[in-house]
């Protein structure tokens, strides 16, 4: 494993084959990351749920549920994957490479979950837990016991309304893939200021939220 990636992940694999499997998309090989992704999905939900329970002793079940959903959603997991530069390490088939699969939220989120599963199989639950908590540290800190952050579309709308500006327009650019594995591409367009952003997601709603989040980064950056 490249040293830079090791430093970012925070775990050195005893069995490098597990890391390779975790970062191999099904388009590249029959020996891919889908089983590790299944395991990692369960692990990240348990690790995040426990951390929220311990960090917020007065929060009720509803808040804890919303907070966990926010932290382990596709966009959040893909964001962590980008911070770890997983896209640069993914093994993809020619079609996914051509279509920019290494940038797609769904593929990045799946790879992160697979990596979590691989770390667990390589070194056990406690090492996996510590590694994952390190990845989520800043995201845990951004939550407050009074409520979770509003979603990106709501925050963008409120930002525009506060300045008496026209509301955004969301345009579906593309919907591709098999019915059980669709990828939606959505454009977010502002009239004032004249800006456009594009994002992808496994649902139209996720793609809209991603495009709104990118717009917020542009107008507040």
């Amino acid at each position: 494993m490249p040293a830079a990636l090791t430093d970012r992940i925070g775990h050195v694999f005893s069995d490098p084959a597990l890391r390779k499997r975790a970062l191999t998309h099904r388009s590249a090989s029959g020996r891919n990351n889908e089983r590790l992704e299944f395991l990692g999905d369960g692990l990240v939900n348990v690790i995040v749920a426990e951390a929220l329970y311990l960090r917020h002793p007065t929060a009720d079940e509803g808040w804890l549920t919303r907070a966990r959903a926010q932290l382990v959603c596709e966009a959040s997991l893909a964001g962590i994957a980008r911070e770890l530069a997983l896209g640069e390490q993914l093994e993809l088939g020619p079609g996914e490479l051509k279509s920019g699969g290494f940038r797609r939220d769904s593929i990045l989120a799946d790879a992160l979950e697979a990596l979590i599963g691989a770390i667990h199989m390589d070194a056990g639950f406690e090492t996996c837990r510590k590694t994952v908590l390190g990845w989520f540290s800043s995201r845990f800190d951004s939550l407050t016991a009074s409520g979770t952050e509003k979603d990106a579309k709501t925050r963008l709308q409120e930002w525009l309304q506060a300045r008496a500006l026209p509301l955004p327009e969301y345009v579906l650019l593309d919907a591709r893939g098999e019915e059980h594995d669709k990828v939606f591409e959505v454009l977010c367009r502002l009239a004032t200021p004249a800006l456009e952003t594009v994002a992808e997601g496994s649902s139209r709603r996720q793609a809209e939220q991603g495009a709104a989040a990118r717009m917020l980064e542009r107008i507040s950056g």
Side-chain angles (χ1 to χ4, degrees), residues 174-188:
D174 191 19
R176 59 187 180 275
E178 300 295 328
E179 196 60 39
H180 67 282
D181 190 30
K182 275 199 174 290
V183 175
F184 295 82
E185 184 178 18
V186 168
L187 175 143
C188 175

Side-chain angles (χ1 to χ4, degrees), residues 22-98:
L23 298 177
T24 300
H25 188 257
R26 68 185 180 193
S27 63
S29 172
R31 292 178 58 81
N32 55 60
N33 63 8
E34 289 185 332
R35 280 172 52 83
L36 286 171
E37 175 203 335
F38 165 79
L39 177 60
D41 176 65
L43 287 165
V44 72
N45 274 279
V46 168
I47 292 167
V48 169
E50 180 192 49
L52 289 169
Y53 180 85
L54 295 174
R55 284 168 173 257
H56 300 279
T58 62
D60 62 25
E61 179 190 3
W63 184 88
L64 292 170
T65 299
R66 291 191 300 274
R68 181 180 61 179
Q70 179 179 315
L71 289 169
V72 302
C73 72
E74 183 178 278
S76 175
L77 296 179
I80 293 173
R82 290 188 179 93
E83 292 168 9
L84 301 179
L86 295 192
E88 301 169 18
Q89 304 298 320
L90 286 173
E91 292 191 27
L92 301 169
E96 287 292 352
L97 276 173
K98 186 176 180 180

Side-chain angles (χ1 to χ4, degrees), residues 136-168:
F136 278 89
S137 177
S138 63
R139 288 163 173 80
F140 283 127
D141 293 341
S142 71
L143 296 172
T144 66
S146 60
T148 53
E149 186 179 28
K150 293 176 181 177
D151 66 65
K153 287 182 67 176
T154 300
R155 287 184 284 128
L156 177 58
Q157 179 174 313
E158 290 179 349
W159 189 93
L160 294 166
Q161 288 175 329
R163 292 159 178 80
L165 296 174
L167 295 180

